[in-house]
Amino acid sequence: MSEPGKTKFQVDLRRHLRETGVEENLIHLICEIAEASKYIIHSIRTGELGVAGTSNLYGEQQLALDVLADRILRKRLDHSGVVANMMSEEMDQIIPVSPDWEGKYSVAFDPLDGSSLVDVNLAVGTIVAIFPGYNLMRPGREQAAAMYILYGPRTTLVYSVGDGVFEFGMNNLMEYTLLREHITLKPKGSLYSPGGVRNQYTPGVESYVSSLEKRGVKLRYSGGFVPDINQVLLKGEGIFLYPHLKNLPRGKLRLLFELSPMAYLIEQAGGAASDGKQPILDLMPNDIHERAPVFIGCKEDVLLAEKMLRTHEGGPAAQPEKTRTVKKSA
Ligand code: F6P
Ligand code: MN
């Protein structure tokens, strides 16, 4: 990773995408999402913490921030001219945008991940998976790009189009400028971020987490998937897990718009992401809200999780019944 050199690191997002040869419609799409995030961060910073369906001081109907973030993104994508289909955490089906899909992209997004952390003023984010063409129901490996925006003390945007991972920061003019390029992970880390209630861990997960602790790995869990993954990526080390649990055999996180994009970014940084048996990016979703267990971060730490699960339980306690691995999508 190179040190910030003044001229180079003042490059804004659009110029960087142009200079790195990203396809024009994809540039447009990524920049539209970046634009939408400016309205989302504004709502988070200034909005009342409304609950959907309630009124504010002035008797105006309020939207919960996740619903508002969803509307902001939906509108932007709808009018972008480069989107074929879209779906989000807030939708119960895929929304067609344009039947004329050639040269366009389909987008799956979590508009405000970790929204339950907003009222306690912790970091939240937007996660986006971008597929070429019209088909969203395909393995994450076929993404054209993946990105997230982290609304923390600073607002940052991390993306990959398959040529490394780049981080941008929002400056005082609300422009995203390049902070770090070609972010990479060490083979093995010294921090872990474990989701799920410990007394619900299966024997394999319990042994794995105990082995990390014996190694002296430090616990760092914020409860927000975006900041927790951002920590691993930008510290260059660590592992995040939200495993299969006795009471949640398919884990908690959603494949299409949470796990696939994060797995894409982590693999691009030289790390790995697994459901305990196989790479997250090879899982074929059968349902738009399908969940999967996840072990994601430094490669050796993920491989160790797979190995210990094999030893103690022959893989994740319960594979999503319908999830199957595929070589190529239809
Ligand atoms: O979207 C799900 C989410 O809020 C993630 O951001 C986070 O990683 C996870 O849930 C936290 O779950 P828990 O509250 O069980 O720790
Ligand atoms: Mn989420």
Side-chain angles (χ1 to χ4, degrees):
M1 202 187 316
S2 46
E3 282 303 306
K6 215 170 178 210
T7 319
K8 186 169 185 190
F9 283 81
Q10 281 168 351
V11 168
D12 74 26
L13 180 61
R14 188 181 302 275
R15 190 169 142 201
H16 159 87
L17 292 169
R18 288 231 162 94
E19 286 177 354
T20 51
V22 176
E23 191 274 321
E24 271 305 316
N25 281 355
L26 189 52
I27 294 179
H28 184 59
L29 179 54
I30 292 171
C31 290
E32 284 292 301
I33 295 164
E35 279 302 306
S37 73
K38 297 177 185 175
Y39 294 88
I40 297 175
I41 185 61
H42 183 75
S43 305
I44 294 170
R45 298 237 158 106
T46 62
E48 292 165 60
L49 298 173
V51 176
T54 61
S55 304
N56 66 9
L57 271 179
Y58 313 98
E60 294 159 339
Q61 272 282 308
Q62 287 196 71
L63 291 174
L65 279 174
D66 46 3
V67 179
L68 187 59
D70 189 60
R71 292 213 182 159
I72 291 169
L73 269 160
R74 240 198 239 208
K75 199 164 188 177
R76 207 87 206 180
L77 296 177
D78 208 8
H79 292 112
S80 69
V82 294
V83 172
N85 289 314
M86 61 178 165
M87 78 85 40
S88 83
E89 203 226 25
E90 303 292 325
M91 304 176 196
D92 51 17
Q93 58 188 28
I94 294 173
I95 310 272
V97 178
S98 164
D100 165 25
W101 55 268
E102 273 196 63
K104 297 198 167 94
Y105 295 89
S106 290
V107 184
F109 56 98
D110 187 348
L112 199 61
D113 176 73
S115 53
S116 67
L117 299 174
V118 170
D119 61 350
V120 289
N121 202 17
L122 288 177
V124 292
T126 296
I127 314 172
V128 187
I130 300 174
F131 289 88
Y134 66 90
N135 187 5
L136 279 169
M137 301 303 282
R138 56 210 281 203
R141 206 168 288 292
E142 295 178 17
Q143 286 169 98
M147 62 194 283
Y148 65 77
I149 295 130
L150 170 59
Y151 311 109
R154 292 181 301 129
T155 301
T156 54
L157 180 155
V158 171
Y159 91 94
S160 178
V161 293
D163 186 25
V165 183
F166 298 82
E167 183 199 25
F168 288 75
M170 190 184 274
N171 65 18
N172 55 0
L173 298 172
M174 290 193 111
E175 298 157 343
Y176 283 108
T177 57
L178 185 59
L179 293 178
R180 292 196 225 189
E181 51 188 356
H182 295 294
I183 294 162
T184 49
L185 293 185
K186 292 180 195 161
K188 191 171 167 176
S190 63
L191 62 90
Y192 77 120
S193 213
V197 177
R198 183 97 181 224
N199 70 8
Q200 295 298 324
Y201 280 4
T202 59
V205 176
E206 181 56 41
S207 313
Y208 175 61
V209 167
S210 302
S211 80
L212 293 177
E213 288 166 350
K214 275 192 207 110
R215 205 169 90 197
V217 166
K218 202 191 278 182
L219 177 108
R220 282 282 184 270
Y221 185 69
S222 83
F225 192 39
V226 178
D228 284 336
I229 289 292
N230 191 66
Q231 167 174 247
V232 170
L233 257 177
L234 295 176
K235 293 279 183 203
E237 58 164 329
I239 179 148
F240 174 96
L241 54 142
Y242 207 113
H244 51 290
L245 300 171
K246 287 186 216 155
N247 63 342
L248 273 181
R250 298 165 76 142
K252 179 178 185 192
L253 299 175
R254 266 69 56 86
L255 183 56
L256 200 50
F257 44 82
E258 292 180 319
L259 299 183
S260 283
M262 291 310 200
Y264 187 90
L265 291 164
I266 291 283
E267 277 206 11
Q268 279 292 315
S274 168
D275 69 350
K277 256 188 174 168
Q278 57 202 318
I280 291 287
L281 291 181
D282 290 338
L283 298 177
M284 175 71 155
N286 289 287
D287 180 278
I288 53 176
H289 289 283
E290 190 160 306
R291 297 169 197 269
V294 68
F295 303 81
I296 178 170
C298 291
K299 210 175 235 171
E300 286 181 21
D301 294 334
V302 174
L303 293 180
L304 178 66
E306 286 184 340
K307 191 172 158 210
M308 293 191 76
L309 290 172
R310 260 196 315 272
T311 308
H312 291 270
E313 50 196 73
Q319 274 283 307
E321 311 88 56
K322 291 185 295 177
T323 299
R324 58 189 198 277
T325 312
V326 288
K327 295 273 181 293
K328 269 226 166 334
S329 77

Short mmCIF file of all heavy atoms in Angstrom, two decimals, residues 145-202:
data_model
loop_
_atom_site.label_atom_id
_atom_site.label_comp_id
_atom_site.label_asym_id
_atom_site.label_seq_id
_atom_site.Cartn_x
_atom_site.Cartn_y
_atom_site.Cartn_z
N ALA A 145 -19.34 -5.63 -9.15
CA ALA A 145 -18.76 -4.72 -8.16
C ALA A 145 -19.46 -4.94 -6.83
O ALA A 145 -20.59 -5.45 -6.78
CB ALA A 145 -18.95 -3.27 -8.60
N ALA A 146 -18.78 -4.55 -5.77
CA ALA A 146 -19.39 -4.56 -4.43
C ALA A 146 -18.89 -3.33 -3.71
O ALA A 146 -17.77 -2.85 -3.97
CB ALA A 146 -19.00 -5.82 -3.68
N MET A 147 -19.74 -2.78 -2.84
CA MET A 147 -19.30 -1.59 -2.11
C MET A 147 -20.07 -1.43 -0.80
O MET A 147 -21.13 -2.04 -0.64
CB MET A 147 -19.49 -0.34 -2.97
CG MET A 147 -20.92 -0.05 -3.37
SD MET A 147 -21.04 1.17 -4.72
CE MET A 147 -20.75 2.69 -3.81
N TYR A 148 -19.52 -0.67 0.09
CA TYR A 148 -20.29 -0.24 1.27
C TYR A 148 -19.92 1.18 1.61
O TYR A 148 -18.86 1.69 1.22
CB TYR A 148 -20.10 -1.18 2.46
CG TYR A 148 -18.72 -1.26 3.05
CD1 TYR A 148 -18.22 -0.26 3.89
CD2 TYR A 148 -17.91 -2.36 2.81
CE1 TYR A 148 -16.95 -0.36 4.44
CE2 TYR A 148 -16.64 -2.46 3.37
CZ TYR A 148 -16.17 -1.45 4.18
OH TYR A 148 -14.92 -1.54 4.73
N ILE A 149 -20.84 1.82 2.31
CA ILE A 149 -20.58 3.16 2.83
C ILE A 149 -20.73 3.06 4.34
O ILE A 149 -21.71 2.48 4.82
CB ILE A 149 -21.54 4.19 2.23
CG1 ILE A 149 -21.27 4.29 0.72
CG2 ILE A 149 -21.35 5.57 2.87
CD1 ILE A 149 -22.45 4.19 -0.13
N LEU A 150 -19.76 3.57 5.05
CA LEU A 150 -19.78 3.51 6.51
C LEU A 150 -20.07 4.90 7.05
O LEU A 150 -19.34 5.85 6.77
CB LEU A 150 -18.41 3.00 7.00
CG LEU A 150 -18.14 3.07 8.50
CD1 LEU A 150 -19.16 2.29 9.31
CD2 LEU A 150 -16.73 2.54 8.79
N TYR A 151 -21.19 4.99 7.81
CA TYR A 151 -21.55 6.26 8.43
C TYR A 151 -21.05 6.22 9.88
O TYR A 151 -21.77 5.80 10.79
CB TYR A 151 -23.06 6.47 8.38
CG TYR A 151 -23.65 6.22 6.99
CD1 TYR A 151 -24.45 5.10 6.75
CD2 TYR A 151 -23.39 7.09 5.93
CE1 TYR A 151 -24.98 4.85 5.50
CE2 TYR A 151 -23.91 6.84 4.67
CZ TYR A 151 -24.71 5.72 4.46
OH TYR A 151 -25.21 5.47 3.22
N GLY A 152 -19.80 6.57 10.06
CA GLY A 152 -19.20 6.58 11.40
C GLY A 152 -18.90 8.02 11.76
O GLY A 152 -19.51 8.94 11.21
N PRO A 153 -17.93 8.25 12.66
CA PRO A 153 -17.52 9.62 12.91
C PRO A 153 -17.13 10.31 11.59
O PRO A 153 -17.37 11.49 11.39
CB PRO A 153 -16.30 9.47 13.83
CG PRO A 153 -16.50 8.14 14.49
CD PRO A 153 -17.21 7.28 13.48
N ARG A 154 -16.54 9.52 10.67
CA ARG A 154 -16.33 9.99 9.30
C ARG A 154 -17.18 9.12 8.38
O ARG A 154 -17.52 8.00 8.74
CB ARG A 154 -14.86 9.84 8.89
CG ARG A 154 -13.90 10.75 9.63
CD ARG A 154 -12.48 10.55 9.15
NE ARG A 154 -12.03 9.18 9.31
CZ ARG A 154 -11.47 8.45 8.34
NH1 ARG A 154 -11.29 8.95 7.13
NH2 ARG A 154 -11.09 7.22 8.57
N THR A 155 -17.47 9.64 7.20
CA THR A 155 -18.18 8.81 6.22
C THR A 155 -17.16 8.32 5.19
O THR A 155 -16.45 9.13 4.59
CB THR A 155 -19.29 9.63 5.53
OG1 THR A 155 -20.18 10.10 6.54
CG2 THR A 155 -20.07 8.79 4.54
N THR A 156 -17.10 7.01 5.03
CA THR A 156 -16.16 6.44 4.07
C THR A 156 -16.88 5.50 3.12
O THR A 156 -17.95 4.97 3.45
CB THR A 156 -15.01 5.68 4.79
OG1 THR A 156 -15.58 4.72 5.67
CG2 THR A 156 -14.11 6.62 5.56
N LEU A 157 -16.29 5.32 1.96
CA LEU A 157 -16.86 4.44 0.94
C LEU A 157 -15.77 3.46 0.52
O LEU A 157 -14.64 3.88 0.23
CB LEU A 157 -17.33 5.30 -0.23
CG LEU A 157 -17.98 4.64 -1.45
CD1 LEU A 157 -18.90 5.65 -2.16
CD2 LEU A 157 -16.99 4.07 -2.43
N VAL A 158 -16.09 2.20 0.51
CA VAL A 158 -15.13 1.17 0.11
C VAL A 158 -15.73 0.40 -1.04
O VAL A 158 -16.91 0.00 -0.98
CB VAL A 158 -14.81 0.23 1.31
CG1 VAL A 158 -14.00 -0.97 0.86
CG2 VAL A 158 -14.06 1.00 2.39
N TYR A 159 -14.97 0.20 -2.12
CA TYR A 159 -15.54 -0.50 -3.27
C TYR A 159 -14.48 -1.40 -3.91
O TYR A 159 -13.27 -1.23 -3.70
CB TYR A 159 -16.08 0.50 -4.32
CG TYR A 159 -15.03 0.87 -5.34
CD1 TYR A 159 -14.95 0.17 -6.56
CD2 TYR A 159 -14.07 1.83 -5.08
CE1 TYR A 159 -13.95 0.45 -7.48
CE2 TYR A 159 -13.07 2.11 -6.00
CZ TYR A 159 -13.02 1.43 -7.19
OH TYR A 159 -12.02 1.69 -8.08
N SER A 160 -14.99 -2.34 -4.71
CA SER A 160 -14.11 -3.10 -5.60
C SER A 160 -14.88 -3.44 -6.87
O SER A 160 -16.08 -3.74 -6.82
CB SER A 160 -13.64 -4.40 -4.93
OG SER A 160 -12.84 -5.12 -5.85
N VAL A 161 -14.18 -3.36 -7.99
CA VAL A 161 -14.77 -3.84 -9.25
C VAL A 161 -13.98 -5.07 -9.73
O VAL A 161 -14.00 -5.41 -10.91
CB VAL A 161 -14.81 -2.76 -10.37
CG1 VAL A 161 -15.76 -1.63 -10.01
CG2 VAL A 161 -13.40 -2.22 -10.64
N GLY A 162 -13.26 -5.70 -8.81
CA GLY A 162 -12.51 -6.90 -9.16
C GLY A 162 -11.04 -6.61 -9.42
O GLY A 162 -10.31 -7.47 -9.91
N ASP A 163 -10.61 -5.40 -9.09
CA ASP A 163 -9.21 -5.04 -9.29
C ASP A 163 -8.67 -4.40 -8.01
O ASP A 163 -8.12 -3.31 -8.02
CB ASP A 163 -9.13 -4.06 -10.48
CG ASP A 163 -7.69 -3.75 -10.84
OD1 ASP A 163 -6.81 -4.58 -10.54
OD2 ASP A 163 -7.45 -2.65 -11.38
N GLY A 164 -8.91 -5.08 -6.89
CA GLY A 164 -8.45 -4.56 -5.61
C GLY A 164 -9.54 -3.77 -4.89
O GLY A 164 -10.61 -3.53 -5.44
N VAL A 165 -9.20 -3.37 -3.67
CA VAL A 165 -10.16 -2.68 -2.81
C VAL A 165 -9.67 -1.27 -2.52
O VAL A 165 -8.49 -1.08 -2.18
CB VAL A 165 -10.35 -3.46 -1.48
CG1 VAL A 165 -11.40 -2.80 -0.60
CG2 VAL A 165 -10.74 -4.91 -1.76
N PHE A 166 -10.56 -0.32 -2.64
CA PHE A 166 -10.19 1.10 -2.50
C PHE A 166 -11.09 1.77 -1.46
O PHE A 166 -12.29 1.50 -1.42
CB PHE A 166 -10.35 1.83 -3.84
CG PHE A 166 -9.43 1.28 -4.91
CD1 PHE A 166 -9.80 0.14 -5.63
CD2 PHE A 166 -8.21 1.87 -5.17
CE1 PHE A 166 -8.96 -0.38 -6.61
CE2 PHE A 166 -7.36 1.36 -6.14
CZ PHE A 166 -7.73 0.22 -6.86
N GLU A 167 -10.50 2.66 -0.68
CA GLU A 167 -11.29 3.40 0.31
C GLU A 167 -11.29 4.89 -0.02
O GLU A 167 -10.24 5.46 -0.32
CB GLU A 167 -10.70 3.21 1.72
CG GLU A 167 -11.53 3.90 2.78
CD GLU A 167 -10.80 4.16 4.10
OE1 GLU A 167 -9.55 4.24 4.09
OE2 GLU A 167 -11.48 4.30 5.13
N PHE A 168 -12.47 5.49 0.07
CA PHE A 168 -12.62 6.93 -0.13
C PHE A 168 -13.22 7.55 1.12
O PHE A 168 -13.99 6.90 1.83
CB PHE A 168 -13.57 7.20 -1.31
CG PHE A 168 -12.95 6.87 -2.63
CD1 PHE A 168 -12.79 5.56 -3.04
CD2 PHE A 168 -12.49 7.88 -3.46
CE1 PHE A 168 -12.18 5.25 -4.23
CE2 PHE A 168 -11.87 7.58 -4.67
CZ PHE A 168 -11.71 6.26 -5.06
N GLY A 169 -12.88 8.81 1.37
CA GLY A 169 -13.46 9.51 2.52
C GLY A 169 -14.24 10.71 2.04
O GLY A 169 -13.87 11.34 1.04
N MET A 170 -15.34 11.01 2.74
CA MET A 170 -16.13 12.18 2.35
C MET A 170 -15.48 13.42 2.95
O MET A 170 -15.23 13.47 4.16
CB MET A 170 -17.56 12.02 2.87
CG MET A 170 -18.52 13.05 2.31
SD MET A 170 -20.16 12.90 3.03
CE MET A 170 -20.90 11.67 1.99
N ASN A 171 -15.16 14.41 2.09
CA ASN A 171 -14.52 15.62 2.61
C ASN A 171 -15.55 16.67 2.99
O ASN A 171 -16.76 16.41 2.92
CB ASN A 171 -13.47 16.15 1.60
CG ASN A 171 -14.11 16.63 0.30
OD1 ASN A 171 -15.33 16.88 0.25
ND2 ASN A 171 -13.30 16.78 -0.74
N ASN A 172 -15.09 17.87 3.36
CA ASN A 172 -16.05 18.88 3.84
C ASN A 172 -16.94 19.44 2.73
O ASN A 172 -17.89 20.16 3.01
CB ASN A 172 -15.34 19.99 4.63
CG ASN A 172 -14.24 20.62 3.81
OD1 ASN A 172 -14.00 20.23 2.66
ND2 ASN A 172 -13.55 21.60 4.38
N LEU A 173 -16.65 19.10 1.48
CA LEU A 173 -17.53 19.50 0.38
C LEU A 173 -18.46 18.34 0.01
O LEU A 173 -19.15 18.38 -1.01
CB LEU A 173 -16.70 19.90 -0.85
CG LEU A 173 -15.78 21.08 -0.65
CD1 LEU A 173 -14.87 21.26 -1.87
CD2 LEU A 173 -16.58 22.35 -0.40
N MET A 174 -18.45 17.31 0.83
CA MET A 174 -19.24 16.09 0.60
C MET A 174 -18.84 15.37 -0.68
O MET A 174 -19.65 14.73 -1.34
CB MET A 174 -20.75 16.38 0.61
CG MET A 174 -21.27 16.72 2.00
SD MET A 174 -23.05 16.69 2.05
CE MET A 174 -23.38 15.25 3.05
N GLU A 175 -17.54 15.50 -1.03
CA GLU A 175 -17.02 14.71 -2.16
C GLU A 175 -16.23 13.55 -1.58
O GLU A 175 -15.59 13.70 -0.54
CB GLU A 175 -16.06 15.55 -3.00
CG GLU A 175 -16.66 16.76 -3.62
CD GLU A 175 -15.59 17.81 -3.95
OE1 GLU A 175 -14.46 17.74 -3.41
OE2 GLU A 175 -15.92 18.70 -4.74
N TYR A 176 -16.26 12.44 -2.31
CA TYR A 176 -15.45 11.30 -1.88
C TYR A 176 -14.08 11.39 -2.54
O TYR A 176 -13.98 11.42 -3.77
CB TYR A 176 -16.12 9.98 -2.29
CG TYR A 176 -17.28 9.59 -1.40
CD1 TYR A 176 -18.59 9.67 -1.86
CD2 TYR A 176 -17.07 9.14 -0.11
CE1 TYR A 176 -19.66 9.29 -1.05
CE2 TYR A 176 -18.13 8.76 0.71
CZ TYR A 176 -19.41 8.84 0.23
OH TYR A 176 -20.46 8.48 1.05
N THR A 177 -13.02 11.42 -1.73
CA THR A 177 -11.67 11.42 -2.29
C THR A 177 -10.90 10.20 -1.79
O THR A 177 -11.13 9.71 -0.68
CB THR A 177 -10.90 12.72 -1.95
OG1 THR A 177 -10.87 12.85 -0.54
CG2 THR A 177 -11.56 13.94 -2.55
N LEU A 178 -9.98 9.76 -2.63
CA LEU A 178 -9.25 8.51 -2.37
C LEU A 178 -8.41 8.58 -1.09
O LEU A 178 -7.64 9.52 -0.90
CB LEU A 178 -8.34 8.21 -3.57
CG LEU A 178 -7.58 6.89 -3.56
CD1 LEU A 178 -8.52 5.70 -3.48
CD2 LEU A 178 -6.70 6.79 -4.81
N LEU A 179 -8.59 7.59 -0.22
CA LEU A 179 -7.79 7.52 1.01
C LEU A 179 -6.75 6.40 0.92
O LEU A 179 -5.59 6.59 1.23
CB LEU A 179 -8.68 7.25 2.23
CG LEU A 179 -9.67 8.34 2.67
CD1 LEU A 179 -10.48 7.85 3.86
CD2 LEU A 179 -8.93 9.62 3.03
N ARG A 180 -7.22 5.20 0.54
CA ARG A 180 -6.29 4.06 0.48
C ARG A 180 -6.59 3.22 -0.75
O ARG A 180 -7.77 3.06 -1.12
CB ARG A 180 -6.46 3.16 1.70
CG ARG A 180 -6.00 3.83 2.94
CD ARG A 180 -5.81 2.80 4.03
NE ARG A 180 -6.42 3.32 5.24
CZ ARG A 180 -6.30 2.76 6.42
NH1 ARG A 180 -5.64 1.65 6.55
NH2 ARG A 180 -6.86 3.30 7.47
N GLU A 181 -5.55 2.70 -1.35
CA GLU A 181 -5.76 1.84 -2.52
C GLU A 181 -5.14 0.47 -2.30
O GLU A 181 -4.22 0.31 -1.51
CB GLU A 181 -5.22 2.51 -3.78
CG GLU A 181 -3.81 3.01 -3.67
CD GLU A 181 -3.40 3.82 -4.88
OE1 GLU A 181 -4.17 3.94 -5.84
OE2 GLU A 181 -2.27 4.32 -4.86
N HIS A 182 -5.70 -0.51 -3.02
CA HIS A 182 -5.22 -1.90 -2.92
C HIS A 182 -5.03 -2.34 -1.47
O HIS A 182 -3.94 -2.75 -1.07
CB HIS A 182 -3.95 -2.08 -3.75
CG HIS A 182 -4.22 -1.88 -5.22
ND1 HIS A 182 -5.01 -2.74 -5.94
CD2 HIS A 182 -3.84 -0.90 -6.06
CE1 HIS A 182 -5.10 -2.31 -7.18
NE2 HIS A 182 -4.41 -1.19 -7.29
N ILE A 183 -6.12 -2.24 -0.73
CA ILE A 183 -6.12 -2.66 0.67
C ILE A 183 -5.93 -4.18 0.74
O ILE A 183 -6.59 -4.91 -0.01
CB ILE A 183 -7.45 -2.26 1.33
CG1 ILE A 183 -7.56 -0.73 1.38
CG2 ILE A 183 -7.64 -2.90 2.70
CD1 ILE A 183 -8.96 -0.21 1.60
N THR A 184 -5.02 -4.63 1.61
CA THR A 184 -4.79 -6.08 1.70
C THR A 184 -4.82 -6.56 3.15
O THR A 184 -4.53 -5.80 4.07
CB THR A 184 -3.42 -6.48 1.10
OG1 THR A 184 -2.43 -5.63 1.65
CG2 THR A 184 -3.41 -6.36 -0.41
N LEU A 185 -5.18 -7.83 3.29
CA LEU A 185 -5.24 -8.45 4.62
C LEU A 185 -4.01 -9.31 4.84
O LEU A 185 -3.52 -9.96 3.91
CB LEU A 185 -6.47 -9.36 4.72
CG LEU A 185 -7.86 -8.73 4.69
CD1 LEU A 185 -8.91 -9.80 4.92
CD2 LEU A 185 -7.99 -7.65 5.74
N LYS A 186 -3.56 -9.35 6.09
CA LYS A 186 -2.50 -10.30 6.47
C LYS A 186 -3.08 -11.71 6.39
O LYS A 186 -4.30 -11.88 6.47
CB LYS A 186 -2.09 -10.06 7.91
CG LYS A 186 -1.39 -8.77 8.18
CD LYS A 186 -1.06 -8.72 9.66
CE LYS A 186 -0.70 -7.32 10.09
NZ LYS A 186 -0.81 -7.14 11.53
N PRO A 187 -2.22 -12.73 6.32
CA PRO A 187 -2.75 -14.10 6.27
C PRO A 187 -3.50 -14.49 7.55
O PRO A 187 -4.43 -15.27 7.52
CB PRO A 187 -1.50 -14.97 6.10
CG PRO A 187 -0.38 -14.04 5.81
CD PRO A 187 -0.78 -12.65 6.19
N LYS A 188 -3.08 -13.90 8.70
CA LYS A 188 -3.63 -14.32 9.98
C LYS A 188 -3.74 -13.08 10.87
O LYS A 188 -2.88 -12.21 10.80
CB LYS A 188 -2.62 -15.30 10.59
CG LYS A 188 -3.04 -16.06 11.76
CD LYS A 188 -1.97 -17.11 12.02
CE LYS A 188 -2.14 -17.73 13.38
NZ LYS A 188 -1.17 -18.80 13.58
N GLY A 189 -4.80 -13.02 11.70
CA GLY A 189 -5.02 -11.77 12.43
C GLY A 189 -4.97 -11.92 13.93
O GLY A 189 -4.87 -13.01 14.47
N SER A 190 -5.09 -10.75 14.62
CA SER A 190 -5.06 -10.81 16.07
C SER A 190 -6.28 -10.13 16.69
O SER A 190 -6.24 -9.65 17.80
CB SER A 190 -3.77 -10.19 16.60
OG SER A 190 -3.75 -8.83 16.23
N LEU A 191 -7.38 -10.06 15.91
CA LEU A 191 -8.63 -9.60 16.51
C LEU A 191 -9.79 -10.42 15.96
O LEU A 191 -9.71 -10.96 14.85
CB LEU A 191 -8.85 -8.09 16.30
CG LEU A 191 -8.97 -7.49 14.91
CD1 LEU A 191 -10.41 -7.47 14.46
CD2 LEU A 191 -8.42 -6.08 14.93
N TYR A 192 -10.85 -10.51 16.77
CA TYR A 192 -12.03 -11.25 16.29
C TYR A 192 -13.30 -10.54 16.71
O TYR A 192 -13.35 -9.85 17.72
CB TYR A 192 -11.99 -12.72 16.74
CG TYR A 192 -12.36 -12.98 18.18
CD1 TYR A 192 -13.44 -13.79 18.51
CD2 TYR A 192 -11.61 -12.44 19.22
CE1 TYR A 192 -13.77 -14.06 19.83
CE2 TYR A 192 -11.94 -12.71 20.53
CZ TYR A 192 -13.01 -13.51 20.84
OH TYR A 192 -13.33 -13.75 22.14
N SER A 193 -14.30 -10.73 15.88
CA SER A 193 -15.56 -10.01 15.99
C SER A 193 -16.68 -11.05 15.91
O SER A 193 -17.11 -11.41 14.82
CB SER A 193 -15.58 -9.08 14.77
OG SER A 193 -16.22 -7.90 14.99
N PRO A 194 -17.10 -11.58 17.06
CA PRO A 194 -18.02 -12.72 17.04
C PRO A 194 -19.47 -12.33 17.28
O PRO A 194 -19.82 -11.87 18.36
CB PRO A 194 -17.50 -13.57 18.20
CG PRO A 194 -16.94 -12.58 19.18
CD PRO A 194 -16.59 -11.32 18.44
N GLY A 195 -20.32 -12.58 16.32
CA GLY A 195 -21.76 -12.34 16.49
C GLY A 195 -22.43 -13.56 17.09
O GLY A 195 -21.91 -14.67 17.02
N GLY A 196 -23.62 -13.34 17.65
CA GLY A 196 -24.41 -14.47 18.17
C GLY A 196 -24.16 -14.70 19.65
O GLY A 196 -23.11 -14.35 20.18
N VAL A 197 -25.15 -15.30 20.29
CA VAL A 197 -25.08 -15.54 21.74
C VAL A 197 -24.21 -16.77 22.00
O VAL A 197 -24.44 -17.83 21.43
CB VAL A 197 -26.50 -15.72 22.31
CG1 VAL A 197 -26.47 -16.04 23.79
CG2 VAL A 197 -27.33 -14.48 22.04
N ARG A 198 -23.23 -16.60 22.87
CA ARG A 198 -22.22 -17.65 23.07
C ARG A 198 -22.82 -18.98 23.53
O ARG A 198 -22.37 -20.04 23.10
CB ARG A 198 -21.20 -17.14 24.10
CG ARG A 198 -20.04 -18.07 24.37
CD ARG A 198 -18.85 -17.70 23.55
NE ARG A 198 -17.73 -18.58 23.75
CZ ARG A 198 -16.47 -18.18 23.92
NH1 ARG A 198 -16.18 -16.90 23.93
NH2 ARG A 198 -15.50 -19.05 24.03
N ASN A 199 -23.84 -18.95 24.41
CA ASN A 199 -24.37 -20.24 24.88
C ASN A 199 -25.18 -20.95 23.80
O ASN A 199 -25.67 -22.05 24.01
CB ASN A 199 -25.13 -20.11 26.21
CG ASN A 199 -26.45 -19.37 26.06
OD1 ASN A 199 -26.89 -19.08 24.95
ND2 ASN A 199 -27.09 -19.04 27.17
N GLN A 200 -25.31 -20.32 22.64
CA GLN A 200 -25.97 -20.98 21.52
C GLN A 200 -24.95 -21.53 20.51
O GLN A 200 -25.33 -22.06 19.46
CB GLN A 200 -26.93 -20.02 20.80
CG GLN A 200 -28.11 -19.57 21.64
CD GLN A 200 -29.00 -20.74 22.04
OE1 GLN A 200 -29.19 -21.68 21.28
NE2 GLN A 200 -29.53 -20.69 23.25
N TYR A 201 -23.66 -21.36 20.80
CA TYR A 201 -22.64 -21.87 19.87
C TYR A 201 -22.69 -23.39 19.82
O TYR A 201 -22.91 -24.05 20.84
CB TYR A 201 -21.23 -21.46 20.34
CG TYR A 201 -20.81 -20.05 20.01
CD1 TYR A 201 -21.67 -19.14 19.41
CD2 TYR A 201 -19.52 -19.61 20.31
CE1 TYR A 201 -21.27 -17.85 19.12
CE2 TYR A 201 -19.11 -18.32 20.02
CZ TYR A 201 -19.99 -17.45 19.43
OH TYR A 201 -19.58 -16.17 19.15
N THR A 202 -22.43 -23.92 18.66
CA THR A 202 -22.30 -25.37 18.49
C THR A 202 -20.89 -25.78 18.94
O THR A 202 -20.01 -24.91 19.08
CB THR A 202 -22.51 -25.73 17.01
OG1 THR A 202 -21.53 -25.03 16.25
CG2 THR A 202 -23.91 -25.36 16.52
#
